[in-house]
Amino acid sequence: MHDDRALVEARLKRVLDERIRPAVYPESVALEVAAWVAPGRPGEPVPVAEGLAAAHTPVAVGDAWGAPWRTTWFRVRGTVPEAWAGRTVEAVLDLGFDERMPGFQCEALVYLPDGTPVKGLNPRNQWVRVGAPVRGGERVEWHLEAASNPVVLGVPPFRPTALGDPETAGSAPLYRLARMDLAVFDTEVWELALDLEVLGELMAELPVDAPRRWEVLRAVERALDAVDLQDVGGTAAAARRRLREVLAAPAAASAHRISAVGHAHIDSAWLWPLRETVRKVARTTANMTALLADEPEFVYAMSQAQQYAWLKEHRPEVYARVRRAVAEGRFVPAGGMWVESDTNMPGSEAMARQFVHGKRFFLEEFGVENDEVWLPDTFGFAAGLPQIIRAAGAKWLLTQKISWSRVNSFPHHTFRWEGIDGTRIFTHFPPVDTYNCRLSGAELAHAARNFKEKGTARHSLAPTGWGDGGGGTTREMVAKARRLRNLDGSPVVRWERPADFFARAEAEHPDAPVWVGELYLELHRGTLTSQARTKRGNRRSEHLLREAELWSATAAVTVGFRYPYEELDRIWKTVLLHQFHDILPGSSIAWVHREAERAYAAVAAELEALIGGALTALAGGGDRRLVANAAPHARGGVAAGAVGGPVVSGGPVAAGPRPGGGFVLQHDLLRVEIDGRGLVVSAYDRAAGREAVAPGAAANLLQIHPDFPTMWDAWDVDAFYRRVVTDLTDADEVVLAAAAPEAATVRVVRRFGGSRVVQTLTLARGQRRLDIDTEVDWHETEKFLKAAFPLDLHAERYAAETQFGHLYRPTHTNTSWEAAKFEACVHRFVHAGEPDWGVALVNDATYGHDVTRTVREGGPGGARGTTTTVRLSLLRAPRFPDPETDQGIHRFRYALVPGATIGDAVREGYRINLPERAVTGAGAVPPLVAVDDDAVVVTAVKLADDRSGDVVVRLHEARGARARATLTCGFPLAGAVATDLLERPAEDGPALEREGDTVRMALRPFQLVTLRLCRAVGAHAAG
């Protein structure tokens, strides 16, 4: 028989596109349309009542509308023709959509005249049902709150655009009304289109020599023969009958099983501002609750408690529908986090609070507790995350993003992920390789072929629906799933809740393979540096929150101070929101980051006021000069978490000229040489007799690279950037700015390109570190600024702080996995060392860094050896999606600590992020709680969220070794219990030995512990 596949397939495509799909709406009449543009720039949303009551002006199909970021209220009216009685009728409302871009352009929420939300409109969801059937003669009226969001990620993509900021986006209309009709909806034609689409997609994925492919081909051919192209509606039923047999053929017993989960990934901000996400959530959930009502098998999942909170506040009618669907078990609150955050950069306590606030919201609002963590789009996962997940009461993780890695293909789809403390979390990467699955034949076939656990497991998950900008699952996707429930040649598809999928997957694969350490995404490494102000705001907010909780709890327990429950809860939620995986990573439009900067400033001001009030209450009246130490380690003679009189120790600092130019700063611990270029050419540890700076090298060397990745500008740095580098060695000024026994400072000024850097290098009495304060007035484009510290160390690995501990990364590139980690994340410290001596580099605002090693071949002077170079990533200047990324003034503080152990690195990392506070008062204040082992670090001291007055302490072992610690309370202790992150008794906490007001415990390496300390009767004076 002749091979006519190409002919039949081409015929199918043309008949579907040109005859069958257009025949879904065979008759239509125009609607009357009028419009009102919300006033002001950038067209902020107005109350619904105002939009409904506004004076609308007539407009027509073809008219331009929608300046960037404006809101237009359309009113559409019409009458259903009497002749349509008994038929299904819909309004078709096309605002000028591009069907390729759901979630990335104009959208609308449809209301009834009384203000009741109906559904959302987007490029893949343009209809509003009138009736099925109609009586004929009905008057219809809807109001459309339409957002003319610009297409920032256009074609071609990643081109600089002014559209991401309403101040620069202009006022020219972006869209034209394309269709505003009432139309007959021919259900039989629509079903025929779906039959043919499913079979055509299936056929294309089957082997050419497979009998099933030819069975499908012939059935499709017979169905097309039955379609009268001039009367598609009249012949659709006959065509469908010719497809029944081939659609009824059951799947093979060995077919891959796919759990489809209705989904609409909604970025809480990205190419749109937060305010627009509020409306995206309303549009999407209105559609999904309506789809749930129409389709009894459909299941929908939505993560991010913040988005539910927005819906509750701004669209309570839609939220009421969500609550009902949640109660039915079909609308699933997923993930248990406040937002789908970045997980690399949030600090220990912030990462914990993502789960605390997310899970508590779902528990209080819906009585739902999540076992799964849902992070499909996050840019890699820190090695400290598994025990945080476990401590939050969850046990499963889903993500898809690792499939974007460019170098190495991750070896598993279903596996157990082991974190730094040994905790293992059952994890699934959907092999469909998208979180916007459409249930196409190509996607399903790819999932089955791609699934790496074939032979030992057979189930995978497919998040199904349009996403990024929302939209969700469509009725077409649900119809395809119905056909794919049991179809020969295809994976078997079932709608299923995430928890049901995970329970089945874990049961069928109890011996799943193990992956140890971070889940590093080999892409989007630039997000560790882009938008430095956002990152600095996050770091500063995290530490201010620590201080506010610590001092407020101490004051509440000791002097009856009012504990600011409401204020702290609200501020935490603001900070957690801005850790969303396109805000903190710096990959959003200018508008988002400008708002973030304002939000962080407001947070800082409020927290400073809370801290000041608590410390004033604690210190009492008096004029004694005191210091408040919020760090988890004693310093300057003041205990951790205490207020006391500072004690100066150590030898005085001496400063003088250096032969050949520059200056020498020294005391009894360190001797630092800064040459005439303002570079550190020596940092000598007097006690160990060791030099930190590699021979012939200079530290604190600023280096600049060209930075123009192949795509994804704000997201990516590509490895080739390293091949071109300029060392910034010319200095305008190198002066001794201060010289005193307490501290000496050298000031260095440099200019390069259009930018200027001012640095102060300070050696303080009693401190084995060199503090470097860097202010950059940055006016470069597509450049990458680094600060390099070449160290005289032979180190095959280095330690980088992560949540509740640290992880080790290699300094070599033996394998492609190691070479791919050319830019990685760190929190407060990097530590590199030999067995008996090491060096730490600590910072107060940076995350991106790299560590490399080179071998010195030697020569005169015997300088042969290994140089380990640590570089901090300070600034980038990508032009998309914000063409003015990071222009302006930035400040960074970092410090070089020669002779540091891991414990020293932990201590100095806290010191630089939690500087002492000067306080005037009556006298010293002892700590509310004290721990006798510096290896055990307290990350939070607060009052219990249930307002019982109990004191909650979170701590962890920080050095990667076992520890025994005694915690002493500064109040009468009635009881102590280990809890989970939500402050409920934990099943797997450490054994606690209580004696009086002390609690003893033994901790495993990096073990995270939360303690709830009940105060004795009479001690509940406040809180």
Side-chain angles (χ1 to χ4, degrees):
M1 189 173 187
H2 298 297
D3 184 350
D4 60 350
R5 287 177 301 108
L7 183 66
V8 177
E9 290 165 4
R11 180 189 179 195
L12 171 62
K13 182 180 186 305
R14 186 175 186 192
V15 171
L16 263 176
D17 289 346
E18 297 184 26
R19 292 292 188 271
I20 296 177
R21 289 193 181 106
V24 169
Y25 292 112
E27 300 176 55
S28 63
V29 295
L31 288 160
E32 171 194 315
V33 188
W36 173 75
V37 180
R41 292 186 66 189
E44 287 299 309
V46 300
V48 173
E50 183 178 345
L52 296 174
H56 291 69
T57 301
V59 295
V61 168
D63 287 354
W65 73 279
W69 304 115
R70 302 300 294 266
T71 299
T72 301
W73 281 81
F74 291 102
R75 185 188 64 215
V76 295
R77 291 171 171 166
T79 302
V80 177
E82 298 283 354
W84 292 358
R87 304 175 77 178
T88 298
V89 175
E90 295 180 345
V92 182
L93 307 174
D94 185 345
L95 300 174
F97 295 128
D98 180 342
E99 289 193 1
R100 299 169 299 174
M101 306 195 77
F104 290 89
Q105 52 169 246
C106 59
E107 301 172 59
L109 184 59
V110 180
Y111 296 89
L112 295 176
D114 64 2
T116 301
V118 179
K119 71 185 297 285
L121 296 178
N122 64 57
R124 292 285 179 161
N125 211 317
Q126 303 178 20
W127 55 275
V128 180
R129 179 64 57 89
V130 176
V134 296
R135 299 186 310 276
E138 294 98 328
R139 289 285 297 167
V140 294
E141 178 177 328
W142 298 280
H143 293 253
L144 282 55
E145 182 190 17
S148 48
N149 302 327
V151 178
V152 177
L153 186 63
V155 180
F158 311 112
R159 298 294 174 89
T161 174
L163 289 172
D165 189 330
E167 298 301 319
T168 60
S171 58
L174 299 174
Y175 301 101
R176 289 186 181 275
L177 292 180
R179 186 175 183 183
M180 292 278 160
D181 289 346
L182 283 178
V184 171
F185 177 76
D186 192 320
T187 303
E188 195 71 20
V189 174
W190 182 80
E191 296 283 7
L192 173 62
L194 269 297
D195 287 346
L196 291 170
E197 183 175 315
V198 166
L199 290 171
E201 291 174 349
L202 171 65
M203 181 170 56
E205 298 302 320
L206 294 171
V208 173
D209 58 357
R212 175 62 171 167
R213 178 162 182 160
W214 291 91
E215 290 171 4
V216 173
L217 183 82
R218 294 304 167 215
V220 167
E221 187 175 43
R222 290 191 296 272
L224 293 176
D225 289 344
V227 175
D228 183 340
L229 299 184
Q230 279 66 53
D231 184 16
V232 174
T235 55
R240 292 195 71 205
R241 284 194 293 272
R242 296 189 178 188
L243 297 173
R244 284 178 184 168
E245 183 177 350
V246 75
L247 282 168
S254 60
H256 185 65
R257 265 59 177 166
I258 291 179
S259 297
V261 179
H263 184 238
H265 180 59
I266 305 178
D267 285 315
S268 288
W270 180 28
L271 305 180
W272 45 85
L274 292 168
R275 79 104 199 259
E276 196 55 35
T277 312
V278 173
R279 302 201 290 184
K280 284 177 176 289
V281 171
R283 298 172 196 132
T284 299
T285 52
N287 283 353
M288 295 304 96
T289 50
L291 193 58
L292 287 166
D294 292 341
E295 302 288 348
E297 294 182 353
F298 177 52
V299 174
Y300 181 75
M302 187 172 93
S303 68
Q304 306 192 71
Q306 171 68 85
Q307 296 187 0
Y308 289 83
W310 280 333
L311 192 64
K312 181 180 180 181
E313 177 183 358
H314 295 279
R315 291 292 177 267
E317 310 95 324
V318 180
Y319 188 67
R321 298 180 206 166
V322 169
R323 286 181 61 88
R324 288 194 294 271
V326 171
E328 294 167 359
R330 299 180 59 219
F331 193 116
V332 182
M337 295 175 68
W338 189 248
V339 295
E340 288 183 13
S341 73
D342 180 82
T343 74
N344 285 310
M345 291 176 281
S348 302
E349 198 58 32
M351 199 73 254
R353 301 299 176 95
Q354 285 286 352
F355 291 93
V356 169
H357 286 280
K359 294 199 81 170
R360 184 165 288 136
F361 183 93
F362 288 163
L363 280 165
E364 292 176 352
E365 291 291 317
F366 309 120
V368 168
E369 178 154 13
N370 302 85
D371 286 325
E372 80 288 338
V373 177
W374 186 272
L375 291 169
D377 191 30
T378 296
F379 310 153
F381 299 87
L385 189 58
Q387 73 164 330
I388 299 173
I389 293 173
R390 181 66 55 80
K395 58 184 179 181
W396 301 316
L397 168 67
L398 178 135
T399 186
Q400 178 272 327
K401 201 70 170 188
I402 300 298
S403 70
W404 286 40
S405 286
R406 282 190 174 169
V407 179
N408 299 285
S409 176
F410 196 81
H412 314 297
H413 284 110
T414 301
F415 62 100
R416 296 191 185 276
W417 176 31
E418 181 178 317
I420 56 174
D421 74 315
T423 298
R424 292 180 176 180
I425 297 296
F426 188 80
T427 302
H428 181 66
F429 294 171
V432 71
D433 283 348
T434 178
Y435 50 80
N436 296 323
C437 179
R438 297 174 289 115
L439 297 182
S440 69
E443 289 171 331
L444 300 181
H446 174 75
R449 289 192 299 263
N450 188 39
F451 188 51
K452 292 185 169 67
E453 277 62 56
K454 288 189 289 286
T456 56
R458 61 191 307 188
H459 286 83
S460 70
L461 185 146
T464 301
W466 298 108
D468 285 324
T473 317
T474 63
R475 62 183 178 184
E476 288 78 15
M477 295 173 192
V478 176
K480 293 178 83 167
R482 191 178 306 121
R483 290 160 172 81
L484 295 164
R485 283 179 57 86
N486 192 17
L487 181 62
D488 186 13
S490 169
V492 171
V493 177
R494 296 282 192 280
W495 294 111
E496 195 163 38
R497 287 178 286 272
D500 294 335
F501 160 77
F502 272 107
R504 180 181 295 107
E506 190 171 26
E508 79 171 359
H509 203 14
D511 298 320
V514 176
W515 179 269
V516 178
E518 66 185 324
L519 293 171
Y520 180 91
L521 176 63
E522 297 171 355
L523 192 71
H524 293 358
R525 304 167 184 89
T527 59
L528 302 173
T529 305
S530 297
Q531 298 288 1
R533 293 185 190 89
T534 299
K535 291 170 171 59
R536 183 172 188 82
N538 175 73
R539 181 77 70 84
R540 184 71 179 132
S541 297
E542 289 180 351
H543 289 85
L544 286 172
L545 275 161
R546 173 198 176 90
E547 290 191 80
E549 290 183 336
L550 169 67
W551 299 127
S552 294
T554 304
V557 172
T558 57
V559 298
F561 183 76
R562 183 190 71 84
Y563 191 79
Y565 290 103
E566 293 84 0
E567 295 93 327
L568 290 171
D569 180 79
R570 173 174 42 79
I571 293 169
W572 263 118
K573 288 173 179 174
T574 298
V575 173
L576 298 177
L577 167 60
H578 287 86
Q579 291 177 340
F580 178 75
H581 67 252
D582 277 308
I583 303 179
L584 180 54
S587 47
S588 288
I589 56 174
W591 190 353
V592 172
H593 291 289
R594 182 159 36 83
E595 287 189 334
E597 192 171 352
R598 288 198 294 265
Y600 285 131
V603 161
E606 189 169 4
L607 288 173
E608 289 284 2
L610 291 177
I611 292 165
L615 286 173
T616 298
L618 279 170
D623 56 4
R624 184 179 171 189
R625 294 178 59 200
L626 303 167
V627 165
N629 175 23
H633 309 95
R635 55 188 177 184
V638 180
V643 179
V647 176
V648 177
S649 62
V653 180
R658 174 182 177 272
F663 302 93
V664 177
L665 313 180
Q666 58 186 317
H667 53 35
D668 56 336
L669 301 175
L670 281 182
R671 183 179 188 274
V672 177
E673 294 186 32
I674 301 164
D675 71 6
R677 303 169 297 172
L679 302 177
V680 178
V681 291
S682 175
Y684 185 75
D685 178 357
R686 290 181 180 274
R690 283 286 301 260
E691 172 62 59
V693 181
N700 191 38
L701 172 65
L702 296 178
Q703 298 179 306
I704 197 163
H705 299 266
D707 183 16
F708 190 64
T710 58
M711 60 192 301
W712 295 107
D713 297 37
W715 293 258
D716 283 357
V717 290
D718 289 333
F720 55 74
Y721 88 87
R722 292 183 171 194
R723 294 203 289 268
V724 180
V725 61
T726 300
D727 293 343
L728 303 179
T729 57
D730 294 337
D732 296 348
E733 181 181 309
V734 181
V735 299
L736 188 63
E742 299 307 314
T745 299
V746 173
R747 183 173 186 268
V748 181
V749 179
R750 306 184 195 280
R751 297 179 189 273
F752 58 93
S755 304
R756 181 173 184 263
V757 178
V758 179
Q759 289 190 307
T760 58
L761 291 78
T762 300
L763 185 65
R765 185 173 187 170
Q767 305 301 325
R768 196 175 64 231
R769 66 175 184 269
L770 177 67
D771 288 307
I772 302 167
D773 195 316
T774 299
E775 183 178 279
V776 186
D777 189 4
W778 181 246
H779 296 285
E780 306 306 304
T781 298
E782 294 167 349
K783 295 292 191 294
F784 197 3
L785 182 65
K786 294 254 185 179
F789 292 80
L791 306 174
D792 190 10
L793 288 170
H794 179 76
E796 293 186 359
R797 65 176 189 169
Y798 71 97
E801 189 185 33
T802 188
Q803 293 101 0
F804 298 111
H806 58 267
L807 75 155
Y808 287 99
R809 297 190 181 103
T811 60
H812 56 76
T813 55
N814 281 357
T815 71
S816 60
W817 294 89
E818 292 149 355
K821 295 182 181 180
F822 59 82
E823 184 80 4
C825 184
V826 68
H827 287 189
R828 286 169 291 229
F829 73 81
V830 170
H831 180 273
E834 297 169 2
D836 59 345
W837 193 82
V839 178
L841 187 64
V842 298
N843 75 84
D844 80 335
T846 62
Y847 296 93
H849 74 289
D850 66 82
V851 180
T852 56
R853 65 200 298 263
T854 55
V855 172
R856 307 185 300 271
E857 293 302 332
R864 188 171 186 273
T866 303
T867 298
T868 299
T869 301
V870 180
R871 299 199 304 167
L872 298 180
S873 303
L874 301 183
L875 288 165
R876 300 183 66 222
R879 301 190 65 207
F880 182 85
D882 176 4
E884 299 296 318
T885 301
D886 278 333
Q887 301 300 297
I889 294 176
H890 303 268
R891 185 180 179 190
F892 306 94
R893 294 180 67 229
Y894 38 91
L896 181 69
V897 191
T901 64
I902 286 286
D904 295 327
V906 173
R907 181 183 300 104
E908 293 298 333
Y910 273 102
R911 179 201 60 78
I912 201 169
N913 284 275
L914 286 166
E916 298 95 332
R917 288 180 178 270
V919 180
T920 301
V925 178
L928 190 62
V929 295
V931 179
D932 67 346
D933 186 344
D934 270 2
V936 177
V937 170
V938 173
T939 62
V941 178
K942 58 189 285 293
L943 293 193
D945 290 343
D946 63 6
R947 306 195 181 198
S948 62
D950 291 350
V951 175
V952 171
V953 178
R954 190 138 38 240
L955 50 83
H956 73 286
E957 195 288 318
R959 298 182 188 175
R962 294 184 182 271
R964 291 192 63 84
T966 298
L967 181 143
T968 301
C969 300
F971 52 87
L973 181 64
V977 62
T979 73
D980 64 8
L981 294 181
L982 275 70
E983 301 167 12
R984 305 170 299 190
E987 296 179 358
D988 58 352
L992 305 180
E993 302 173 18
R994 178 174 157 255
E995 183 177 338
D997 298 334
T998 67
V999 179
R1000 289 190 296 275
M1001 71 199 89
L1003 278 72
R1004 303 184 307 273
F1006 298 130
Q1007 185 177 2
L1008 162 64
V1009 176
T1010 303
L1011 299 176
R1012 185 175 183 128
L1013 308 173
C1014 179
R1015 290 186 273 159
V1017 175
H1020 293 263

